[in-house]
Amino acid sequence: VTFLLLWLAVCPLLLGNLYCQFFVGPTAGWLLDWAFLINWGTGTLLLNLWAVMCYFSLFTRRVWGDIIFGEPVAGANMNNNNDANDMPRQLFNDGADGAPAENDAAG
């Protein structure tokens, strides 16, 4: 119950009010009647957008390194492999075929 109250009411209102006061500025006269609803909607949008971005790991160093420095994502350039038949085994080798996996520690 507490989680739902915080997620659906308290946090969106505080976040929306903070966003509107910081970026929009003082509310215009015609918005005073709708300020509560506008702040709640803005806060809900920002809160859920943040949750989705966390779910997809968009705040990791790897993602921002790929965006800023243009480092390739693992497996993105698969067409430059000389042995195309060996590619799936290299990418998905879990050690089941007797060969050590790429991420296994060799003693």
Side-chain angles (χ1 to χ4, degrees):
V1 174
T2 304
F3 170 76
L4 290 176
L5 180 67
L6 287 173
W7 190 265
L8 297 176
V10 176
C11 290
L13 283 174
L14 292 175
L15 186 60
N17 189 25
L18 181 67
Y19 177 83
C20 288
Q21 291 298 318
F22 188 74
F23 291 108
V24 178
T27 314
W30 62 275
L31 287 177
L32 289 177
D33 296 335
W34 297 98
F36 180 78
L37 186 61
I38 291 171
N39 288 344
W40 179 82
T42 302
T44 301
L45 176 72
L46 292 174
L47 184 64
N48 287 304
L49 182 64
W50 171 76
V52 168
M53 291 174 75
C54 286
Y55 177 79
F56 288 110
S57 302
L58 294 180
F59 297 116
T60 60
R61 289 182 183 169
R62 179 176 179 222
V63 170
W64 287 104
D66 292 344
I67 292 171
I68 294 172
F69 300 115
E71 297 174 2
V73 178
N77 197 11
M78 295 187 307
N79 293 331
N80 288 340
N81 192 351
N82 292 334
D83 189 6
N85 294 330
D86 199 31
M87 182 176 47
R89 189 166 42 102
Q90 290 174 356
L91 292 176
F92 305 109
N93 186 5
D94 59 353
D97 58 353
E102 291 179 10
N103 58 357
D104 284 350

